[in-house]
Amino acid sequence: MDKPKRRNTETDPWSGLKMYTAARIALGRTGTSVPLKESFAFKMAHAHARDAVYSSLNLEVLLQGLHAFNLPVHVLHSMASDRMEYLQRPDLGRMLNQASSEQLKEEGSSSTEIAFVLADGLSATAVNEHAIPLLQLLVPALRQAGFTLAPLTVAEQARVAIADEIGELLHAKLSIIMIGERPGLSSPDSLGVYFTYAPKPGLTDEARNCISNIRPEGLPYSLAAEKILYLIQEAMRKKLTGVKLKDGIGLLQG
């Protein structure tokens, strides 16, 4: 009688999938637990995510990069006075404080088409690392396409909806906020870009479009810029953003 074949417990059937994802799969095991190395790696990733939440905008580097576009630049602040209040009171992060609001009113900008906002969100690290490289692709493309740009703004302790107020104060047809997304254990530096046509305070998420996970390990800058340019053109053509505006760029290329 043939002996039953012994199952190979050394090979994890998930191992071949590791090259396609940064998710924690095929970690191996020691007894009934994951290996010590993987346990430490998990704690390190968790620490990076927590650090990202409490990170700050590197204003010196950001302003240096923004001034290269030859546009006025304003540094603004939400109504959240510090990071702790920002985390505990999301509503305050959606509104400019009085000084920032007055600063934009004094700008006296005439009607423009696009207002870019850089905001820390839940990962200033993402903005510090990815916002300027993305703008370096976008701004020349938008100017070549004939779009007019409002003064650039950087908002601290800010949430997505703060761009609605900023866009309205700058008389822009479209506000675009580049903001740090909630960090994950494999992506503490993910940048999100949100679009709002006819921005004004009080709009909800259904009025916006979003492109997320912009970073070299996620959605590369070049592809993100291509998608953003397409959505800008469609938003201006249809005079809307949100659930009625779809990203059909893949269909156009197919």
Side-chain angles (χ1 to χ4, degrees):
M1 183 176 178
D2 294 337
K3 293 182 179 180
K5 292 183 179 179
R6 186 176 180 181
R7 185 178 178 182
N8 184 1
T9 58
E10 299 293 328
T11 303
D12 191 323
W14 290 78
S15 296
L17 299 177
K18 292 191 71 171
M19 68 179 70
Y20 301 108
T21 178
R24 283 177 164 74
I25 62 173
L27 300 180
R29 67 180 184 180
T30 301
T32 58
S33 302
V34 298
L36 187 60
K37 176 183 177 182
E38 296 297 342
S39 178
F40 285 156
F42 177 86
K43 292 178 180 180
M44 180 63 75
H46 187 260
H48 286 318
R50 288 178 59 88
D51 287 346
V53 170
Y54 290 97
S55 59
S56 302
L57 293 174
N58 189 335
L59 290 178
E60 182 178 353
V61 172
L62 288 175
L63 293 178
Q64 183 179 358
L66 292 175
H67 284 307
F69 299 119
N70 295 315
L71 288 166
V73 180
H74 295 276
V75 178
L76 311 173
H77 205 287
S78 76
M79 292 186 68
S81 58
D82 55 33
R83 199 59 175 173
M84 190 58 65
E85 187 173 45
Y86 170 83
L87 295 173
Q88 295 175 341
R89 292 284 307 275
D91 57 313
L92 297 181
R94 301 184 184 113
M95 300 176 288
L96 291 172
N97 64 16
Q98 185 174 354
S100 295
S101 179
E102 293 298 326
Q103 183 178 342
L104 292 189
K105 289 177 182 177
E106 293 174 2
E107 173 68 33
S109 175
S110 58
S111 179
T112 55
E113 290 177 304
I114 300 170
F116 278 109
V117 182
L118 275 61
D120 45 11
L122 289 170
S123 174
T125 301
V127 181
N128 292 336
E129 295 183 3
H130 308 312
I132 298 301
L134 183 56
L135 283 172
Q136 287 171 342
L137 297 176
L138 274 175
V139 171
L142 290 170
R143 283 174 166 164
Q144 186 175 1
F147 290 106
T148 57
L149 303 181
L152 303 172
T153 57
V154 180
E156 296 182 278
Q157 311 299 352
R159 303 273 177 174
V160 171
I162 203 169
D164 296 338
E165 183 180 1
I166 293 172
E168 183 182 54
L169 289 171
L170 291 176
H171 311 290
K173 294 181 180 179
L174 184 72
S175 66
I176 303 176
I177 185 167
M178 298 182 173
I179 191 166
E181 297 182 306
R182 185 184 305 275
L185 292 176
S186 61
S187 56
D189 61 337
S190 180
L191 183 73
V193 176
Y194 292 79
F195 308 76
T196 308
Y197 187 83
K200 60 181 180 180
L203 295 177
T204 56
D205 287 342
E206 55 84 25
R208 308 183 224 285
N209 289 86
C210 174
I211 296 176
S212 63
N213 196 31
I214 300 172
R215 57 194 184 102
E217 300 83 4
L219 184 64
Y221 302 143
S222 58
L223 184 55
E226 186 179 359
K227 286 180 175 287
I228 291 168
L229 182 60
Y230 170 81
L231 285 173
I232 289 172
Q233 292 170 329
E234 287 297 286
M236 292 299 192
R237 182 175 69 86
K238 297 181 177 181
K239 295 181 171 54
L240 57 82
T241 50
V243 294
K244 294 183 179 180
L245 181 63
K246 306 300 182 184
D247 178 5
I249 190 169
L251 299 176
L252 294 177
Q253 293 176 338

